[in-house]
Structure formats: structure tokens, C-alpha cells
Amino acid sequence: MNLRGIVAVSGRPGLFKLVGQNKVGYILESLDAQKTKIVANITNTKLASLEDITVYGEEEEIKLASIFDNITAKGSTPDLKENLRPYFLEVAPGHDQEKVYASDMKKIVTWYNLLKDLPLFTEDTPETPGTPAEVKLSEEKAAADKKPKSAATKAAGAKATTKTSAPAKKASMTSKKGV
């Protein structure tokens, strides 16, 4: 299963294919029938690559691709209005039942229903790193994971150096009356 280049965008329903990148953001094409193209701004939009998404497990995290494989082997998906917990116990054995919510299960089943008819669903994942935009997205994601720790220490260091400023000027003690 080739999930490379398929992303979920924060704040937008559905899935998107990463087409390219320009100086403003990533160019995305929706996977629905309309095939609308949007530009996701780099600074305020979060993208999650389906290839990197995992589900909380009791012992180790479960990759989304393996859950999709199990759903394919099972052959059918339940109605989203039903209780999905028993079904999800079959397709994702060992998931952490306290951390994986019903909304997460619905989202995974919805994503599966979107992807199952696409040709990339049946092809193998290539060993090449991907398009330049995909490589940049994975590099930015890795940098963002490391960034909060280093940015917090830099910000604390910057604040410490700016607190030592010159003392305030003394006020003039003379009055206008000339006393």
C-alpha cells in the first residue's frame, strides 16, 4: 500500500494528495470527485502524512498502513453510526482502548473508504524518498518535532539577556515657576 504523498490537513475534511510546493505553501489536490486544488500555507497549516500516522498501542504504536491492510483482509467496513470498538479490536489488535477514541476510529474508517478505490491503494510503497515537496514535508515534520525543545531554551536565553538594560533616567526636579 502506497500512502506516500497523501496528507490530512488540520481544519479540513477529507484527504489530499501532495502535488507540489511554492513559496507560500504546499499545493494539494483533494481526493474526492471534485479534485479541487488548494494551497496550504506553510506557517499556519498542519499537514499529517498518512504514511507517518500511528495509533496508540498497549505495547508499541500501530502503523496506519497495517490497520488498512487488516481492514482489506476483513473485506468490509461497518456503518459509522454503529459502535466501532468491537470492529476496531479485530483490525487493530493491541490498540490502547483508553487513548483511541471513537472519533479516531471513525476517521480511520472514513479514510479507508476514501482510499480503497484508488490505484495507489494496491501498489507497493516505493523505496525512493519521494517528490521534493514530500521530502521537504518530512524534513519539516522532523524539525518541528525537535524545535519546541530548542526554541524554549533559546527563548529563555534571549529573555535573560534582554533584562539587563540601562537604568531609567532621573526626573528633572526643577519646576516651571523658577522657585
Side-chain angles (χ1 to χ4, degrees):
M1 172 177 321
N2 182 11
L3 296 177
R4 183 168 290 156
I6 306 297
V7 294
V9 179
S10 63
R12 291 189 177 261
L15 294 174
F16 298 88
K17 181 176 183 179
L18 187 61
V19 177
Q21 181 180 3
N22 63 14
K23 62 183 177 183
V24 177
Y26 295 106
I27 301 169
L28 306 172
E29 180 181 71
S30 66
L31 291 179
D32 58 4
Q34 297 168 346
K35 301 284 185 194
T36 57
K37 289 189 179 181
I38 63 167
V39 176
N41 193 336
I42 291 176
T43 58
N44 60 5
T45 305
K46 293 184 181 180
L47 301 179
S49 172
L50 263 59
E51 187 176 42
D52 299 331
I53 292 178
T54 58
V55 174
Y56 290 111
E58 292 173 349
E59 294 159 14
E60 61 181 28
E61 294 182 347
I62 305 166
K63 290 199 123 330
L64 185 63
S66 66
I67 295 173
F68 283 167
D69 288 337
N70 292 344
I71 293 173
T72 303
K74 185 135 174 88
S76 64
T77 57
D79 185 20
L80 294 177
K81 295 179 182 176
E82 297 176 12
N83 182 11
L84 295 175
R85 183 69 62 188
Y87 177 78
F88 213 71
L89 283 169
E90 294 177 21
V91 296
H95 75 275
D96 191 342
Q97 295 184 30
E98 293 178 5
K99 292 181 181 177
V100 180
Y101 300 113
S103 61
D104 300 327
M105 292 182 266
K106 286 180 183 178
K107 188 181 296 184
I108 289 172
V109 171
T110 303
W111 287 349
Y112 175 81
N113 289 332
L114 280 171
L115 293 172
K116 69 181 177 182
D117 298 327
L118 298 176
L120 59 92
F121 198 70
T122 56
E123 65 187 37
D124 293 331
T125 304
E127 297 299 321
T128 59
T131 66
E134 293 167 2
V135 171
K136 182 153 175 77
L137 175 64
S138 63
E139 289 171 356
E140 286 178 358
K141 182 176 273 192
D145 291 342
K146 295 177 185 177
K147 186 177 180 181
K149 295 176 186 174
S150 63
T153 57
K154 286 180 184 176
K159 288 180 183 176
T161 59
T162 58
K163 285 186 179 179
T164 57
S165 60
K169 293 182 180 179
K170 290 185 177 179
S172 174
M173 299 303 277
T174 61
S175 67
K176 293 183 180 179
K177 293 182 181 178
V179 176

